[in-house]
Amino acid sequence: MNIGEIAKRAGVSRSTVSYALSGKRSVSEETRRKIQQVIDELGYRPNASARALANGRTSTIGLVFPPAGNHYTGMQLDFIGSVVEAAAVHDYDVLLSPSGVDSDRSFQRLLGERRVDGAILMEIRLEDDRVEHMAELDFPSVAIGRTAHPENGWWVSLDHTALAAACVHHLADLGHRRVAFVNRPEQLLQAGYESAHRGLDGFTKAAAERGLTVRTYCCGDDAASGQACLERILHDDPATTALVTLNEAALGGLYRGLARAGRHVPRDFSVTGIVASRWAETVTPQLTAADVPAEEMGRRAVDLLVERIEQPAAPGRHHLLTPPISLRASTGPATGTSIR
């Protein structure tokens, strides 16, 4: 079924049907009702490409999301799912572009061919050429994460600095004095990933404030790396009694390393960090953590992007989220410490 057939059955011209569908020119209410009646009877849905040509919209948003390593972590998949679900509420489809920098061909096609009405950028770096390029083009975009200078941008982010600091203060309040920090992989830190840098900054400053003895480690995004990292922690300082982690993908390995070292959680060793709740609840004992609200972040990012698409001149808006620490079973008083 096409516009020509609708025009024939409604007794109007093809251009009148086109104007009625696109709204580019006024059509009398009687003619509009006649056309709509035919459309309803035929179950007509306009072709997406034709609709885009008619109104300048694709009803599609891009999700620019490069995997940080050689696979997507559980938290990353949670973000992707949350964006897709939130977009559907606004009647948008989602096109995934696994682009890391603005020189990637996939990213250039996304912009140059206007395949999408706007884009959500993930895996943000402190200096991110994708964010800068979008701003230069005035292309509607929202970042999940913050660059080094986020003041006037459109973004949704976790306050990794405050959350890592909250984890440190929680452990210090429990009497822990020697604490390790397990970060994301070294290559991500070197690439300027903002969560890795801001989390490290929050951990370091809070530990100094509380007078703790600390060591920091980069760790691969997998369980084997987590176990190897835990072995290094105990080798470097056997007196370590707790750790804070940003690396959810390594969490199972960290637990396994503690078990193999004969360290009981939380009696002998406490573990906390910044992790999505459903992953914090899959380990035993369940992880005391600042729960990453992936669903909320995806929804807020889509809402902001739709707002920006519909109001191109609107000033930048953002959301900085600081969820509370969810107390579960993985943290307890340091050995020999009485907490009152």
Side-chain angles (χ1 to χ4, degrees):
M1 188 56 55
N2 55 42
I3 287 179
E5 183 63 23
I6 294 171
K8 179 180 177 181
R9 296 195 182 201
V12 299
S13 68
R14 290 173 58 94
S15 60
T16 299
V17 175
S18 178
Y19 296 148
L21 291 174
S22 68
K24 284 192 172 184
R25 291 191 185 180
S26 60
V27 175
S28 72
E29 188 59 34
E30 181 181 353
T31 300
R32 189 183 301 278
R33 280 200 302 268
K34 188 186 300 183
I35 292 170
Q36 189 60 53
Q37 182 178 352
V38 173
I39 288 174
D40 291 341
E41 291 174 354
L42 298 178
Y44 171 77
R45 290 183 63 85
N47 176 272
S49 298
R51 188 168 62 243
L53 287 173
N55 62 20
R57 295 282 182 87
T58 65
S59 295
T60 302
I61 60 175
L63 180 59
V64 182
F65 194 176
N70 57 7
H71 65 283
Y72 290 114
T73 68
M75 189 185 298
Q76 291 166 336
L77 292 173
D78 284 346
F79 277 123
I80 293 173
S82 71
V83 168
V84 171
E85 290 178 7
V89 172
H90 291 280
D91 202 24
Y92 275 86
D93 296 323
V94 177
L95 177 63
L96 181 64
S97 175
S99 303
V101 295
D102 71 5
S103 59
D104 286 353
R105 282 187 290 180
S106 175
F107 186 76
Q108 289 299 330
R109 285 196 300 270
L110 200 70
L111 302 183
E113 299 176 13
R114 288 282 171 166
R115 295 185 174 187
V116 296
D117 299 329
I120 293 174
L121 308 177
M122 303 189 73
E123 298 295 315
I124 298 299
R125 298 167 171 82
L126 291 174
E127 302 295 334
D128 200 306
D129 56 1
R130 299 169 303 162
V131 175
E132 295 173 2
H133 192 54
M134 291 284 201
E136 290 170 359
L137 294 176
D138 199 26
F139 191 91
S141 67
V142 172
I144 296 187
R146 291 174 293 158
T147 63
H149 304 286
E151 294 80 11
N152 299 317
W154 293 75
W155 50 266
V156 179
S157 183
L158 282 182
D159 191 342
H160 285 91
T161 304
L163 294 178
C167 291
V168 170
H169 290 305
H170 171 63
L171 294 174
D173 289 344
L174 290 171
H176 294 278
R177 308 303 302 166
R178 308 181 80 85
V179 180
F181 181 67
V182 179
N183 207 336
R184 301 292 301 283
E186 175 68 28
Q187 65 268 28
L188 300 190
L189 197 65
Q190 292 179 354
Y193 271 61
E194 69 100 7
S195 58
H197 278 269
R198 289 197 165 103
L200 176 60
D201 187 53
F203 173 85
T204 303
K205 289 180 178 178
E209 181 182 329
R210 300 300 292 263
L212 307 185
T213 299
V214 300
R215 292 176 182 268
T216 62
Y217 298 82
C218 287
C219 178
D221 287 334
D222 58 81
S225 297
Q227 182 175 340
C229 184
L230 193 284
E231 291 170 356
R232 291 199 306 275
I233 290 170
L234 295 183
H235 174 270
D236 293 344
D237 184 2
T240 302
T241 61
L243 67 81
V244 176
T245 184
L246 297 184
N247 195 325
E248 112 190 339
L251 187 59
L254 295 171
Y255 267 58
R256 188 165 64 208
L258 287 167
R260 293 194 174 184
R263 302 290 183 98
H264 180 274
V265 179
R267 185 185 64 218
D268 306 318
F269 202 101
S270 289
V271 183
T272 186
I274 304 171
V275 176
S277 60
R278 76 183 185 94
W279 300 100
E281 293 169 355
T282 60
V283 292
T284 304
Q286 292 186 357
L287 186 73
T288 291
D291 296 337
V292 176
E295 182 177 344
E296 179 185 0
M297 293 180 74
R299 175 179 55 78
R300 285 180 180 247
V302 171
D303 289 346
L304 283 181
L305 183 58
V306 171
E307 177 184 338
R308 190 171 187 190
I309 291 169
E310 295 178 351
Q311 303 177 41
R317 296 209 303 116
H318 54 263
H319 302 287
L320 182 60
L321 308 181
T322 311
I325 300 291
S326 295
L327 298 177
R328 297 188 179 93
S330 67
T331 54
T335 305
T337 300
S338 177
I339 304 299
R340 296 180 181 179

